[in-house]
């Protein structure tokens, strides 16, 4: 059963004429006849009494409201898709890692709201692994996460590098490691660490770095908020390895200190992830462009590093 068969059937039922139905559908009368015959063959019963006028059979009467409903649903679907492709969607859902939400995302969100006032933004702060899962499950339209090539290698995913930033050492201002401007990894291995919870890309990045150095990371505590990291670290000997963007305003806190690591320097990549089909929708494509323009600005990263 094809849509054009249903449309021909409805035209004949409405006009009681194969000839008039052909004019309405902008096809030949013979084409209308073939479509009705094919439909009748598929249904296994005649739909019209053929005579001076075409009148519905009992089967045709029963079929009529169903054909009308199918065509209405199709028309509604076409209109909905058309509005979506024109950018008329009710909301845009985004998942992003904490440091991006706190520092870089606000100007992107403000600009988007100005450009698309009819689209409601829904932003959720999640760890990288969880953000990618909700993206793949269709719960969000875009995810801004720390890159993990094992989780972003699917063919349907579009992955854009936004920026790369160094990972630094956060510690108490009175910590013994503050004597270094660049803290040796061997010294970092001597102290207990505060790390992000399992499922956050930063924990995996730090763990892998210690493994490459053939050292053991001494994990004393797992946390999931930047405020909690600062509160715990300023209390004593615990240290934390965190991305530069998470430490942008720590210079204002005299109880905390930031240091670079010795070589090899650890970096993380922050990427925007979506799917190729979503990029056909104008608001999603526009948000992606804004992220590149504002969030991925190299000037912003350089300013951040100077502050530190």
């Amino acid at each position: 059963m094809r849509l054009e068969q249903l449309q021909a059937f409805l035209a004949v039922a409405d006009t009681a004429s194969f000839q008039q139905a052909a004019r309405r559908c902008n096809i030949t009368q013979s084409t209308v006849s073939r479509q009705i015959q094919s439909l009748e063959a598929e249904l296994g019963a005649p739909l019209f009494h053929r005579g001076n006028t075409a009148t519905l059979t009992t089967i045709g009467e029963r079929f009529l409201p169903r054909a009308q409903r199918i065509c209405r649903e199709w028309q509604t679907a076409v209109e909905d898709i058309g509005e979506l492709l024109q950018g008329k969607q009710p909301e845009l859902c985004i998942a992003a890692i904490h440091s991006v939400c706190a520092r870089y995302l606000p100007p992107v969100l403000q600009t988007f709201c100005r450009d698309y006032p009819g689209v409601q933004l829904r932003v959720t702060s999640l760890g990288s692994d969880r953000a990618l899962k909700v993206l793949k499950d269709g719960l969000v339209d875009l995810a801004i996460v720390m890159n993990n090539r094992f989780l972003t290698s699917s063919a349907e995913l579009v992955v854009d590098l936004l920026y790369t930033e160094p990972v630094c050492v956060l510690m108490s201002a009175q910590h013994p490691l503050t004597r270094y401007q660049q803290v040796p990894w061997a010294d970092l291995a001597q102290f207990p660490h505060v790390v992000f919870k399992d499922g956050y890309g930063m924990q995996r990045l730090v763990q892998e770095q210690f493994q490459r150095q053939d050292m053991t990371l001494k994990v004393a505590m797992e946390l999931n908020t930047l405020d909690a990291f600062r509160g715990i670290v300023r209390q004593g000997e615990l240290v934390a390895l965190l991305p530069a963007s998470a430490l942008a305003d720590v210079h204002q806190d005299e109880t905390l200190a930031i240091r670079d690591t010795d070589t090899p320097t650890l970096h993380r990549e922050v990427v925007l992830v979506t799917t190729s089909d979503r990029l056909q929708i104008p608001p999603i494509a526009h948000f992606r462009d804004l992220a590149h323009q504002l969030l991925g600005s190299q000037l912003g990263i350089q300013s951040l590093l100077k502050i530190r």
Side-chain angles (χ1 to χ4, degrees), residues 7-294:
Q7 292 170 335
F9 166 75
L10 292 176
V12 175
D14 189 45
T15 63
S17 167
F18 279 72
Q19 186 177 18
Q20 292 184 42
R23 285 197 292 267
R24 177 177 292 187
C25 296
N26 198 29
I27 55 178
T28 64
Q29 184 174 337
S30 60
T31 301
V32 171
S33 297
R34 285 196 302 272
Q35 289 174 340
I36 298 300
Q37 289 170 0
S38 297
L39 189 57
E40 290 174 328
E42 192 169 346
L43 293 173
L47 296 171
F48 293 100
H49 298 293
R50 270 79 165 175
N52 292 332
T53 60
T55 59
L56 289 167
T57 63
T58 301
I59 297 298
E61 293 281 3
R62 293 288 297 272
F63 184 64
L64 178 62
R66 291 171 171 80
Q68 290 171 329
R69 185 163 57 250
I70 292 170
C71 287
R72 282 197 303 269
E73 286 294 328
W74 171 255
Q75 186 59 37
T76 299
V78 169
E79 291 172 357
D80 286 347
I81 296 302
E83 289 184 352
L84 188 63
L85 293 176
Q86 293 172 22
K88 298 176 182 178
Q89 67 179 84
E91 63 181 24
L92 177 62
C93 299
I94 301 154
I97 52 178
H98 296 280
S99 55
V100 170
C101 283
R103 181 170 179 81
Y104 296 125
L105 208 51
V108 179
L109 300 178
Q110 290 173 359
T111 304
F112 180 87
C113 288
R114 182 197 65 203
D115 296 342
Y116 279 91
V119 179
Q120 181 178 2
L121 282 173
R122 296 186 181 275
V123 183
T124 304
S125 181
L126 295 172
S128 294
D129 292 2
R130 178 63 179 167
L132 289 172
K133 183 179 186 306
V134 297
L135 173 68
K136 292 178 180 179
D137 290 345
L139 300 177
V140 299
D141 300 302
L142 304 112
I144 301 176
V145 298
M146 197 185 89
N147 195 21
N148 179 349
R149 291 179 177 85
F150 295 106
L151 298 180
T152 58
S153 59
S154 301
E156 73 275 10
L157 294 180
V158 176
V159 182
D160 299 329
L161 177 64
L162 295 176
Y163 60 87
T164 300
E165 63 178 339
V167 174
C168 307
V169 187
L170 177 67
M171 66 190 90
S172 165
Q174 306 303 318
H175 198 282
L177 293 180
T178 55
R179 68 181 184 274
Y180 294 109
Q181 289 302 310
Q182 296 179 315
V183 183
W185 288 99
D187 287 75
L188 281 171
Q190 302 305 312
F191 288 89
H193 285 246
V194 186
V195 299
F196 275 101
K197 289 183 177 180
D198 188 31
Y200 285 75
M202 275 304 303
Q203 184 190 120
R204 182 170 52 251
L205 187 70
V206 171
Q207 289 276 14
E208 291 173 352
Q209 178 76 348
F210 273 83
Q211 290 170 5
R212 285 192 293 270
Q213 300 293 319
D214 197 24
M215 299 175 185
T216 300
L217 174 65
K218 297 180 180 179
V219 177
M221 191 177 305
E222 292 184 352
L223 299 172
N224 66 348
T225 68
L226 297 175
D227 286 341
F229 272 89
R230 297 172 188 179
I232 291 296
V233 165
R234 69 165 52 94
Q235 300 302 316
E237 67 173 359
L238 276 71
V239 298
L241 286 163
L242 296 173
S245 60
L247 305 174
D249 57 353
V250 170
H251 69 285
Q252 300 173 357
D253 190 334
E254 296 181 354
T255 67
L256 294 171
I258 303 170
R259 295 292 186 272
D260 292 321
T261 64
D262 202 354
T263 54
T265 305
L266 186 60
H267 290 81
R268 76 163 182 178
E269 295 179 341
V270 175
V271 295
L272 182 148
V273 186
T274 186
T275 55
S276 54
D277 61 306
R278 288 187 174 97
L279 289 176
Q280 299 177 45
I281 301 172
I284 296 177
H286 186 64
F287 189 95
R288 178 200 192 194
D289 291 341
L290 288 177
H292 278 285
Q293 295 169 18
L294 303 176

